[in-house]
Amino acid sequence: MKVVDVRHLRVELIDTGTAIVDDVSFAVNEGEILGIVGESGSGKTTAALCLMGYTRAGARIAGGEILVDGRDVTTLEGAALQAFRGKVVAYVPQDPSAALNPRMRIGEQVAEALRAHEPKLSRGEISRRITEAFADVSLPADRGFLRRFPFELSGGQKQRVCIATVFLLRPRVVVLDEPTTGLDVVTQSTVLETTARLCRTHRVAALYVSHDLAVVSNLADKTMVMKNGRIVEEGAPRQLFHAPRHDYTRALVAATPHIDGPLARVAGDIQANEPKPVLSIRDVAASHGDFQVLHSISFDVMPGECLALVGESGSGKTTLSRLLIGLHRSATGTISFQGENLAFDARQRSEAQKRRMQYIFQSPYGALNNRHTIADIIATPLRLFENGPSAELHAKVKRAMDAVSLPAKAADRYPSDLSGGERQRVAIARALVLKPDMLICDEITSALDVSVQASIVSLLQEVQRTENLAMVFVTHNLALVRSIAHRTAVLQYGRLVELGETGQVIDRPGNDYTRKLVEHSPRFVEAA
Amino acid sequence: MSEGILVSQPVPASGETRRLNPVVRLLGRTLTVRRGQIGLALLALAVVAAVAGPHLAPFGVDDFVGAPFQPPDGSSLFGTDNLGRDVFSRALAGGGGLLWMSAGATLIAMVFGTAIGLIAGQSRGRLDGLLMRAMDVILAFPERVLVLLCVAIAGAGGLLLMVSVGLVFMPAIARASRAVTLDVAHKEFVQYAEAIGMPRRQILMREILPNILTPLMVEAGFRLTWAMGLIAGINFLGFGVQPPTADWGMMINENRDGLLFQPWAVGLPIICIGFVIFGANLLADAVARAAARIEG
């Protein structure tokens, strides 16, 4: 039975009348999951949220019909719309930390949602319903757990609380907006499995919005791909991902890193006859206060080599990368860089050491000062280390911008004028302008869309080849590792559990933890 | 903003191609708000009166033009004061001191407060504790009492009054500045600067300061308003500027004996102070609104 039927939906900006979603039609049956795939700005979230009669400020639903259970959502207003949201169409947000009230205990929050829609429920009934819903998502519903605050839960637990809250009200339709983006692979796969099971058993129609094709291919019964507010292709995931008809879908599929894909020929050659490692870490341990984050880590990085550091959140991989660049000071052990000892504190490192090792941050949004122009930002390290004439400085900035394919006219812009991918290119240009020997990249693609991610990775590969850079590439995405790293190191709870050639680590993991990571990495569904 | 794979999108056209200095930009925005326009107009009027007033005034500030406490008549528009001087002429001349003293006091508070807050917020160590506890000591005294204490120790006088009001306001600015600095100091671009070994002075001035100016301007706007009230009050008490200088606050005190039969001698300076503070307050409010709009 058709629960959702959307016809010729159009959403436009009130000011300019520009369409952000145009002529979008889709239908979802009971117990069915529709995946909506697209990049940021494709209108996928906007289209999905219309089911709740919601548009963000400054936009409005300008045309089309949205029928949910036979009712036209666009005609609902006030109290009727309020009762409709949550009870008929419910929403699971992208970031569970932002969705839960940090000052309210879990139990109260969940009960609040239930009471808002069913005020006559008795206390006993409420707790029975909560216990049921929590059991559905494999969370304990004992008093101790319900009395916890959101900050006492892990990211995966928080997201499961959100999902439990949503299914508690037994809605007809659930809209899930990239609910696993912030989670690591193992947690992600349990959350996805839970969602799919609940939709089937409760006969709920679901819309799953995501930029991750592999995730959608596993979960959805049918999929539509959106671009610039329009549907470019729709169909069964199997057909869509194995025989895409539209060029855009084809490009998206190609851009998605593939854990089972052929081992990409990794750029750059490790000089086999070069016996000396560029970076050598011996017995390094680090702590945050009393908590020990890293235990006795030792490895080498050869000139021109890319070493991937892989692990779940909390494995200590970011601490390790910050330690390398001198931002984490409470550590023991030795690091040597190009044969010289490297201090843990950046302030105690020599100028040459600071020049030759550069760092790229995870988020391109926080890494650039919004008050400086792009040219200024890229010139910052040059001004600090080389006091050359300004013509020379400009030439170097220009060359660095060319190397990362930033248009010359971006020089006078500010970071807020650029997209995430462009900002990350600026960060890379800033790191490369000094011609370093070693680059440390901390999850630099995780905040970016799949296609942008692909372009950033290929940029890095190219740079690595031309500049013969040694690189430490920190990521939680095993599939990505395949296309960039010569060797892969796997971290678990601050210990190095496996280190070897990338192909070997992924295809023949020698460790249970690595095997678990590989198994839970999202894959495209098998071709029929 | 998306970056397609098939179409390489150009750098998006931005509304403001050239971005101005944050302070200039903020003030520009302020003037698009109606209350900002009114506030600025009132203040501008006061400044014009203070600069050009003595030349326009019918009499000199110290000239005796009639008997004490004469009500308004043809020759003096608002009558005479306790010594028989022209109230209108004295009122025209009496605002300049208040304006520059409160502006100066705000500037002193801003410069030192911002610097202390920046250093405290970025160092976060023992220095932070030391600086902020010192500020707390100043904050522990009521503002008016502390200013009175300063002038009582150092002696009455306009310049001293200005400096002491500045110092008394400094801790509040330092707190605000530290709070926003803490927020900016852990951002990755600051960490980057630390990692490549940028000198601390440069980190503070180049990376952090431009990012905290907008909220600080809001603080400065309100401090200006309060400084005016405080300084006018101290002048009223007689601890600021000294006779025979014309000053609104002091005029109220000098003429209060004649309040019943020559109310203008007290009323005119009160109205003037009211208008200037009202103008400053409107402007400060407009700055705050503009800042909220810019910061989103």
Side-chain angles (χ1 to χ4, degrees):
Chain A
M1 197 192 107
K2 244 186 224 177
V3 183
V4 175
D5 194 3
V6 173
R7 292 185 205 134
H8 309 294
L9 176 66
R10 180 185 164 91
V11 180
E12 58 183 34
L13 297 178
I14 293 168
D15 286 347
T16 54
T18 320
I20 43 182
V21 169
D22 198 11
D23 196 20
V24 166
S25 304
F26 57 87
V28 194
N29 294 330
E30 251 181 10
E32 197 178 49
I33 300 175
L34 169 69
I36 306 182
V37 182
E39 297 178 52
S40 352
S42 62
K44 57 186 193 299
T45 301
T46 311
L49 288 181
C50 280
L51 284 187
M52 310 185 75
Y54 173 87
T55 53
R56 64 183 165 84
R60 66 187 178 101
I61 300 172
E65 278 182 315
I66 308 167
L67 297 174
V68 176
D69 238 358
R71 288 156 82 188
D72 190 348
V73 178
T74 51
T75 60
L76 293 174
E77 271 177 0
L81 184 60
Q82 216 166 14
F84 173 84
R85 289 177 180 168
K87 186 68 192 157
V88 183
V89 181
Y91 173 64
V92 179
Q94 179 167 7
D95 181 1
S97 320
L100 297 174
N101 184 339
R103 299 286 309 185
M104 228 170 141
R105 297 178 194 279
I106 296 298
E108 288 171 46
Q109 289 193 46
V110 179
E112 186 190 39
L114 192 54
R115 257 185 245 118
H117 286 280
E118 296 172 37
K120 292 196 194 91
L121 284 184
S122 70
R123 198 175 275 240
E125 184 70 5
I126 289 176
S127 87
R128 195 184 59 76
R129 290 272 290 273
I130 292 178
T131 312
E132 256 176 42
F134 274 40
D136 271 348
V137 295
S138 321
L139 284 178
D142 57 84
R143 225 177 108 72
F145 188 80
L146 292 176
R147 284 185 58 78
R148 287 206 209 167
F149 285 102
F151 68 85
E152 294 173 297
L153 306 186
S154 70
Q157 283 176 322
K158 276 187 255 191
Q159 194 56 285
R160 275 184 279 166
V161 169
C162 287
I163 293 174
T165 314
V166 157
F167 279 97
L168 186 68
L169 294 165
R170 297 175 188 144
R172 305 280 294 142
V173 183
V174 175
V175 177
L176 300 114
D177 186 9
E178 310 222 20
T180 63
T181 305
L183 309 177
D184 49 57
V185 283
V186 179
T187 323
Q188 168 171 292
S189 77
T190 41
V191 168
L192 290 176
E193 184 269 323
T194 311
T195 311
R197 180 168 46 77
L198 287 177
C199 289
R200 310 255 193 269
T201 52
H202 295 285
R203 308 293 299 157
V204 169
L207 258 76
Y208 192 93
V209 177
S210 178
H211 69 271
D212 193 329
L213 291 161
V215 165
V216 171
S217 82
N218 279 298
L219 187 72
D221 299 302
K222 52 187 183 184
T223 306
M224 60 187 211
V225 179
M226 285 187 70
K227 181 176 198 277
N228 297 337
R230 288 172 174 274
I231 299 175
V232 294
E233 187 165 358
E234 53 192 318
R238 212 174 293 264
Q239 172 258 318
L240 216 58
F241 301 127
H242 291 287
R245 282 189 304 263
H246 195 280
D247 284 346
Y248 179 72
T249 319
R250 213 167 291 141
L252 263 185
V253 171
T256 307
H258 214 316
I259 193 159
D260 299 322
L263 197 60
R265 205 179 56 77
V266 176
D269 300 308
I270 312 170
Q271 279 116 357
N273 52 357
E274 177 101 37
K276 267 206 198 136
V278 58
L279 180 80
S280 175
I281 294 175
R282 287 292 169 271
D283 220 17
V284 163
S287 55
H288 279 299
D290 289 338
F291 182 69
Q292 190 158 8
V293 194
L294 293 174
H295 306 264
S296 175
I297 306 277
S298 302
F299 62 81
D300 292 332
V301 182
M302 295 295 169
E305 181 191 33
C306 176
L307 176 79
L309 273 179
V310 181
E312 291 179 88
S313 34
S315 61
K317 57 189 193 302
T318 291
T319 306
L320 183 52
S321 69
R322 289 173 57 86
L323 188 141
L324 291 178
I325 200 66
L327 288 173
H328 188 94
R329 294 184 269 271
S330 52
T332 58
T334 53
I335 313 177
S336 66
F337 179 56
Q338 297 178 326
E340 286 170 37
N341 183 48
L342 198 61
F344 286 114
D345 187 343
R347 285 172 293 195
Q348 288 162 23
R349 294 183 179 179
S350 73
E351 192 167 294
Q353 287 175 330
K354 283 186 282 204
R355 287 191 60 148
R356 289 194 205 127
M357 191 193 280
Q358 290 287 316
Y359 190 83
I360 304 173
F361 287 88
Q362 174 167 11
S363 159
Y365 301 93
L368 311 177
N369 190 339
N370 244 326
R371 303 288 188 202
H372 297 315
T373 61
I374 301 306
D376 249 355
I377 289 170
I378 299 175
T380 305
L382 285 176
R383 287 212 184 89
L384 202 62
F385 291 114
E386 300 173 4
N387 242 333
S390 75
E392 190 183 311
L393 188 126
H394 285 304
K396 281 188 176 165
V397 169
K398 173 101 188 41
R399 232 175 296 144
M401 287 179 66
D402 284 345
V404 298
S405 325
L406 276 172
K409 64 181 176 192
D412 297 325
R413 302 278 181 175
Y414 289 82
S416 55
D417 299 334
L418 306 186
S419 70
E422 286 167 330
R423 288 183 209 210
Q424 203 56 292
R425 282 170 196 272
V426 175
I428 295 173
R430 176 174 66 180
L432 294 179
V433 75
L434 287 171
K435 306 228 165 282
D437 298 324
M438 171 136 215
L439 197 59
I440 294 158
C441 307
D442 182 13
E443 300 245 21
I444 62 166
T445 58
S446 64
L448 307 174
D449 271 334
V450 178
S451 61
V452 182
Q453 182 177 310
S455 69
I456 293 288
V457 166
S458 72
L459 169 67
L460 278 181
Q461 287 171 327
E462 162 126 15
V463 164
Q464 209 207 348
R465 186 168 48 234
T466 52
E467 314 267 329
N468 196 32
L469 268 174
M471 205 148 80
V472 172
F473 192 88
V474 177
T475 182
H476 66 270
N477 187 343
L478 265 179
L480 194 60
V481 164
R482 254 200 133 98
S483 56
I484 190 154
H486 299 96
R487 286 191 305 153
T488 298
V490 182
L491 281 174
Q492 182 193 21
Y493 303 130
R495 288 177 210 278
L496 198 61
V497 294
E498 187 159 1
L499 173 62
E501 301 287 325
T502 298
Q504 186 166 0
V505 169
I506 294 177
D507 296 333
R508 293 180 295 282
N511 177 284
D512 286 344
Y513 177 69
T514 316
R515 204 167 297 128
K516 195 170 102 186
L517 278 184
V518 173
E519 276 166 13
H520 285 92
S521 289
R523 291 174 159 78
F524 285 133
V525 280
E526 298 295 315
Chain B
M1 247 162 266
S2 73
E3 194 180 17
I5 359 169
L6 297 176
V7 215
S8 76
Q9 271 185 355
V11 176
S14 90
E16 286 157 285
T17 323
R18 273 182 47 75
R19 192 162 322 172
L20 302 156
N21 171 306
V23 174
V24 178
R25 179 158 165 250
L26 178 63
L27 294 180
R29 279 290 183 94
T30 302
L31 294 182
T32 63
V33 183
R34 175 52 54 86
R35 61 185 67 211
Q37 297 165 350
I38 298 173
L40 191 78
L42 285 175
L43 281 184
L45 196 67
V47 170
V48 168
V51 173
H55 305 288
L56 299 176
F59 304 100
V61 286
D62 300 329
D63 294 350
F64 300 106
V65 298
F69 294 133
Q70 246 174 20
D73 60 27
S75 67
S76 65
L77 206 53
F78 289 93
T80 60
D81 71 355
N82 62 336
L83 297 178
R85 295 169 295 191
D86 182 40
V87 169
F88 181 58
S89 304
R90 284 181 70 78
L92 276 179
L98 178 65
L99 287 176
W100 76 260
M101 279 200 292
S102 41
T106 308
L107 192 69
I108 291 173
M110 280 297 288
V111 169
F112 290 99
T114 304
I116 289 171
L118 261 178
I119 294 168
Q122 203 258 341
S123 67
R124 266 175 281 181
R126 198 172 295 167
L127 189 61
D128 180 19
L130 202 71
L131 286 172
M132 293 323 286
R133 292 303 78 75
M135 295 297 110
D136 287 348
V137 169
I138 303 182
L139 272 178
F141 294 94
E143 289 170 355
R144 216 162 288 255
V145 172
L146 195 57
V147 172
L148 283 175
L149 188 72
C150 290
V151 289
I153 293 171
L159 193 67
L160 267 166
L161 177 59
M162 181 180 90
V163 174
S164 43
V165 170
L167 291 182
V168 165
F169 280 173
M170 177 180 73
I173 308 252
R175 290 203 142 231
S177 151
R178 175 175 176 270
V180 274
T181 302
L182 279 182
D183 208 36
V184 177
H186 74 262
K187 291 261 169 74
E188 283 121 340
F189 62 83
V190 178
Q191 293 183 6
Y192 172 81
E194 281 168 6
I196 61 168
M198 192 185 277
R200 173 184 273 187
R201 226 181 86 89
Q202 220 172 321
I203 293 182
L204 291 177
M205 300 301 290
R206 238 184 83 86
E207 304 294 338
I208 300 180
L209 185 62
N211 283 289
I212 66 169
L213 274 180
T214 309
L216 287 182
M217 288 302 292
V218 176
E219 186 70 25
F222 289 108
R223 286 291 148 191
L224 179 67
T225 313
W226 291 336
M228 284 175 173
L230 188 55
I231 288 172
I234 303 288
N235 280 333
F236 168 80
L237 294 175
F239 294 106
V241 292
Q242 295 299 312
T245 320
D247 178 88
W248 293 339
M250 208 162 57
M251 281 169 75
I252 299 172
N253 190 7
E254 286 167 350
N255 299 323
R256 66 199 154 93
D257 293 338
L259 185 61
L260 287 179
F261 35 94
Q262 212 313 52
W264 281 114
V266 174
L268 191 61
I270 289 181
I271 292 171
C272 291
I273 292 175
F275 265 101
V276 172
I277 291 186
F278 185 58
N281 203 357
L282 279 181
L283 189 65
D285 202 29
V287 171
R289 280 165 194 248
R293 222 181 277 171
I294 289 175
E295 303 281 297

